[in-house]
Amino acid sequence: SLKLKLEKIEQEDELALLDAGDPLIGNSIYMTGTYTGSTSTVDVIDMPFSFTFALDEEFELMSSASDYSGFIIDEGVINSIIVAFRFDQWFAFNNSETNSDQLIDFTDIVPTGSEIILNDTQNGDNVTIREIIKDNIKESADYGEDEDDDGVLESDEDED
């Protein structure tokens, strides 16, 4: 198994990579993009969206194979292990493990003016949508050894 800790970045961390006021400060995940599709009020094309999560959570990735006993770490060499987050699964509302009753979908999102914002100040269905995405983030993580050293976790290399 592999344990991960996802922590928000605090202002006092003084990371040289972030400028003061960067939206990642105070959050562990910050994502922006555009959305084309239905919302609770109107169909949209390329509507800007952003979502943030200030998660401080530890989670464990475990193999589903009953005979898997962990990684073999070779001494004196670089061991290529990859943790992959499957972004397409973050917005999968058909996952019965994270959306058991299947009554909510991303199309239930309520835009804020001319954009979609999902942060910790949300209410109504947006809270549920945000929670499903958060659970999907955890479910989307996979890990394995990059046996061909191409920097990509292929389906035959993962430990799912």
Side-chain angles (χ1 to χ4, degrees), residues 56-128:
D56 280 327
E57 295 195 28
E58 190 172 295
F59 56 102
E60 187 171 3
L61 304 175
M62 297 179 65
S63 173
S64 60
S66 60
D67 62 346
Y68 187 71
S69 59
F71 287 108
I72 297 172
I73 305 295
D74 299 320
E75 186 177 341
V77 298
I78 295 175
N79 293 268
S80 298
I81 298 171
I82 295 177
V83 175
F85 288 92
R86 314 247 190 250
F87 291 118
D88 60 329
Q89 294 177 15
W90 289 20
F91 297 95
F93 285 79
N94 59 350
N95 183 341
S96 61
E97 290 185 35
T98 60
N99 189 12
S100 60
D101 57 15
Q102 306 282 309
L103 295 177
I104 196 89
D105 192 85
F106 195 79
T107 59
D108 296 314
I109 193 81
V110 178
T112 304
S114 61
E115 62 185 326
I116 296 169
I117 300 172
L118 287 175
N119 60 27
D120 60 1
T121 66
Q122 299 299 292
N123 54 44
D125 285 343
N126 286 9
V127 172
T128 306

Side-chain angles (χ1 to χ4, degrees), residues 80-84 145-154 157:
S80 298
I81 298 171
I82 295 177
V83 175
E145 292 186 60
D146 186 15
E147 294 171 3
D148 59 7
D149 292 320
D150 67 350
V152 176
L153 189 60
E154 309 293 340
E157 296 172 326

